[in-house]
Amino acid sequence: MALLFPRLAFPDDRLALQVGDAALSYAQLARAAGGHAARLAELDVQPGDRVAVWTQPDVATLVALVGHALAGVTSVPLNPKLGPRELGHILSDAAPAHVFAADPAAVADRTPDAKPLPHREAEAPRRAVDEAPLLLLYTSGTTGMPKGALIPARAVAANLDGLARAWAWTDADEVVHALPLFHVHGLVLGAFGSLRVGGALRYVPRFSPEAIAAALDAGGTMLFAVPTMYHRLADAGEADPALAKALAGARLLVSGSAGLPVREHRRIEALAGRGVHERYGLTETLINCAVRASGPPRPGYVGPPLDGVELRLVDDDRQPLDARDDATLGEVAVRGPSVFLGYLNRPDATAAVRDEEGWFYTGDLATRTADGAIRIVGRRSVDLIKTGGYKVGAGEVEACLLEDPGVAEVAVVGLPDEDLGERIVAFVVPRDAATPPDPAALIDAVAKGLTPHKRPREVRFVSALPRNAMGKVQKKKLHADPSG
Ligand code: MLC
Ligand code: AMP
């Protein structure tokens, strides 16, 4: 029987998870995850049911997510900072049978009925990797509220095996990361990846360069981070030789979720004596490309496709482009076992991104070299913003801002930012120019109603938005002339 986490079936005393001061061996994790699975059975949760978990950065959260995987239950990971507007959408769309939290008091203002995750033990069930959804991950689109991507266990297993080959990732490795546990990067790669190879995860509950350095010094061999974190590590490392030494001690530094500027590559290389291996992926497809650990990093490139991933570049009519000149631009399309099942309750949205032959259209624009390396150059839509590695849809932020009676019109864009990659900026036409709304209140409405990382970092009042002859807002003009 092919298992998702083989080492949990024959658990030993090797370190599986370290979260702050709490550590679990594989034997302890197996019994704790088995205990959670037993609890689900008592609650009459059946394989295939959906159960939500507030992903507070706690070892109990990881135990519950592993328990769901062993029980065949679909996890719906919730960002612990979700505000009522976005949370309401997710709970009504996903309709989970139960909501769990390591610390229910911290989320009682939004889910009064969240169940605690007490420590109990039972034998871990065994479950073969199958087509059933393992995860329901919410991801933003250009308009409307986030869509739930159904990710089967089969995709997670295939993708992690491809990454293990690309990075020579083995049970001798200890991954360090400080990423949130409600997205692919932190949850699938960081947590499930470590457990699938039988290695350890040293999870840092709150990102800081010093905490990353401490986890690397404690035995970490690989670091997974977003470009914003590398930028902050470079800033801190240039001032602190101990931090530079900790980075130099890892065998592999990996960046993803957004493009790592060549400048940051060079800074890390200068500090650590080693650059950063980039990989590229999406919630819906998991990881598509990775620079191989057997060779040097390649600044500006995300490497060739993983084993098992079919990739092509296509033109505006979705016709394949054969060029391998690192100049011809096409949209990245991928096919293979890592592609998701579809969006929950959204067959229309699923059909828009996946064709009848199984090709998934990413919306990312790229070139390809003669040796197959992909360089991500941009995105088809100006309405998708990547800030700090988080995807944010302009439409969801605009809809939230338009609720303010003082806002007549609004256009949200991502402007270049040295730290965040892109910074969310809202161009607002006030209903009454003499008494515009309070910018801090507008920012707060997004931070508290949706989630803090979707908040505009800046509000600019303008008398009108640039529009074309059809009346459509020309966001490219706001990019070119951010004064509005
Ligand atoms: C600020 N805060 C507010 C607020 N303003 N809260 C309420 N109201 C307001 N108006 C709070 C925040 O909640 C937070 O609280 C603190 O202030 C700082 O917030 P921040 O400034 O937004 O954080 P920042 O420093 O910018 O975070 C940087 C970061 C983060 C790098 C740590 O962006 C991050 O974790 N990124 C990872 C994203 C990721 O994992 N993406 C993967 C997607 S999967 P507090 O309490 O926390 O201090 C994917 C596929 C793939 O893309 O390829 O991987
Ligand atoms: P998400 O929906 O949060 O999973 O974000 C997926 C998007 O992140 C992709 O479509 C890309 O635009 C972007 N992305 C992920 N990794 C990289 C990378 N290494 N370089 C550039 N963009 C990336």
Side-chain angles (χ1 to χ4, degrees):
M1 178 160 74
L3 303 170
L4 186 57
F5 304 126
R7 194 170 200 133
L8 284 177
F10 308 98
D12 54 16
D13 293 332
R14 282 280 306 278
L15 177 67
L17 300 174
Q18 175 96 40
V19 182
D21 293 336
L24 290 182
S25 68
Y26 272 88
Q28 290 168 322
L29 174 60
R31 293 199 62 77
H36 184 68
R39 174 117 180 276
L40 294 175
E42 283 169 14
L43 289 168
D44 201 28
V45 174
Q46 305 293 326
D49 287 354
R50 290 191 281 274
V51 172
V53 184
W54 285 99
T55 55
Q56 293 157 333
D58 190 296
V59 75
T61 303
L62 288 163
V63 167
L65 292 164
V66 171
H68 293 169
L70 298 180
V73 166
T74 306
S75 287
V76 187
L78 301 176
N79 169 357
K81 292 189 180 148
L82 275 182
R85 189 182 168 104
E86 187 167 340
L87 176 68
H89 161 72
I90 292 176
L91 292 181
S92 73
D93 189 57
H98 299 280
V99 179
F100 285 98
D103 177 9
V107 290
D109 55 337
R110 287 153 294 155
T111 51
D113 53 352
K115 294 184 171 55
L117 289 168
H119 187 71
R120 64 183 270 186
E121 298 196 343
E123 195 175 331
R126 291 186 187 187
R127 188 179 172 82
V129 170
D130 60 13
E131 286 295 307
L134 176 70
L135 297 169
L136 178 59
L137 300 180
Y138 279 81
T139 181
S140 294
T142 52
T143 56
M145 293 299 263
K147 303 184 289 276
L150 287 160
I151 319 281
R154 165 261 297 165
V156 170
N159 203 246
L160 292 174
D161 292 351
L163 283 174
R165 280 195 293 279
W167 294 334
W169 188 3
T170 72
D171 63 358
D173 280 304
E174 297 195 0
V175 169
V176 170
H177 82 78
L179 297 154
L181 297 174
F182 49 89
H183 279 317
V184 160
H185 199 166
L187 177 57
V188 176
L189 272 60
F192 289 175
S194 298
L195 298 175
R196 180 150 177 88
V197 301
L201 168 64
R202 293 186 178 275
Y203 183 61
V204 173
R206 190 184 173 84
F207 173 79
S208 75
E210 298 69 31
I212 294 289
L216 288 172
D217 283 339
T221 63
M222 298 163 82
L223 172 65
F224 293 176
V226 294
T228 301
M229 293 175 177
Y230 281 107
H231 174 77
R232 295 180 187 183
L233 283 163
D235 280 352
E238 283 163 5
D240 177 3
L243 214 157
K245 190 161 161 278
L247 285 176
R251 80 165 179 89
L252 193 67
L253 306 174
V254 181
S255 178
S257 301
L260 184 68
V262 172
R263 181 188 70 246
E264 305 297 347
H265 261 283
R266 299 290 181 224
R267 292 175 76 198
I268 296 287
E269 201 170 22
L271 278 173
R274 144 177 333 105
V276 180
H277 285 70
E278 227 182 318
R279 96 292 177 289
Y280 151 75
L282 280 83
T283 300
E284 294 90 334
T285 63
L286 305 180
I287 305 308
N288 300 315
C289 296
V291 177
R292 304 302 196 258
S294 55
R298 195 164 173 182
Y301 295 81
V302 297
L306 294 182
D307 293 355
V309 173
E310 276 183 88
L311 182 149
R312 62 193 195 189
L313 300 183
V314 299
D315 64 16
D316 287 348
D317 299 321
R318 293 186 169 177
Q319 294 306 305
L321 296 164
D322 291 329
R324 289 173 170 262
D325 54 6
D326 199 14
T328 306
L329 211 59
E331 179 178 355
V332 178
V334 294
R335 184 165 73 171
S338 301
V339 175
F340 76 154
L341 298 169
Y343 298 113
L344 181 70
N345 302 326
R346 294 296 306 277
D348 55 328
T350 307
V353 291
R354 193 178 55 203
D355 70 15
E356 280 156 11
E357 292 174 357
W359 288 98
F360 179 92
Y361 297 89
T362 62
D364 291 313
L365 301 174
T367 67
R368 179 175 40 196
T369 63
D371 61 356
I374 299 298
R375 182 163 59 95
I376 306 291
V377 178
R379 224 169 288 130
R380 285 185 78 92
S381 173
V382 288
D383 286 322
L384 287 178
I385 300 167
K386 267 267 155 164
T387 180
Y390 285 113
K391 183 187 266 184
V392 180
E396 57 183 331
V397 179
E398 288 162 356
C400 189
L401 293 172
L402 280 170
E403 301 264 302
D404 188 299
V407 173
E409 291 177 79
V410 59
V412 164
V413 298
L415 296 185
D417 187 273
E418 211 180 83
D419 180 47
L420 296 169
E422 289 181 288
R423 173 173 90 256
I424 300 178
V425 177
F427 289 85
V428 171
V429 180
R431 204 162 284 288
D432 175 1
T435 54
D438 174 15
L442 293 178
I443 292 170
D444 244 32
V446 178
K448 302 214 163 67
L450 301 177
T451 183
H453 69 253
K454 296 185 178 177
R455 73 189 189 277
R457 303 282 168 145
E458 212 182 310
V459 173
R460 297 191 195 171
F461 293 109
V462 290
S463 54
L465 298 173
R467 291 182 187 273
N468 65 14
M470 311 287 288
K472 191 175 170 343
V473 176
Q474 291 174 295
K475 291 198 174 176
K476 290 207 166 111
K477 284 209 168 146
L478 293 172
H479 277 268
D481 176 15
S483 64

